[in-house]
Amino acid sequence: MTQRISKYKRFMMMNPIVQFFKFIYLSIKVLIVVAGGHGGTRNV
C-alpha cells in the first residue's frame, strides 16, 4: 500500500502534463471559491 502510494506520487511528480493540469485545476478551484465567496466585495 505504501509502495503503491509512493509509486503514484513519483509518477505524478515526473509527469509535467499532470502537474500542469493539477495547477490549472487548483487555480480554477481558487477562482471559483474567490468568485463565490467574495464576489460582492471583489467584483471588477
Side-chain angles (χ1 to χ4, degrees):
M1 193 74 178
T2 47
Q3 207 171 6
R4 193 174 162 189
I5 292 161
S6 60
K7 214 174 187 182
Y8 178 70
K9 273 187 179 180
R10 188 185 277 172
F11 168 73
M12 291 289 270
M13 284 182 99
M14 288 185 81
N15 210 336
I17 298 155
V18 174
Q19 288 281 96
F20 183 65
F21 274 110
K22 203 176 176 185
F23 173 74
I24 290 168
Y25 171 72
L26 281 167
S27 56
I28 288 165
K29 205 175 178 185
V30 167
L31 275 168
I32 289 163
V33 168
V34 168
H38 310 283
T41 51
R42 285 200 168 191
N43 204 349
V44 179

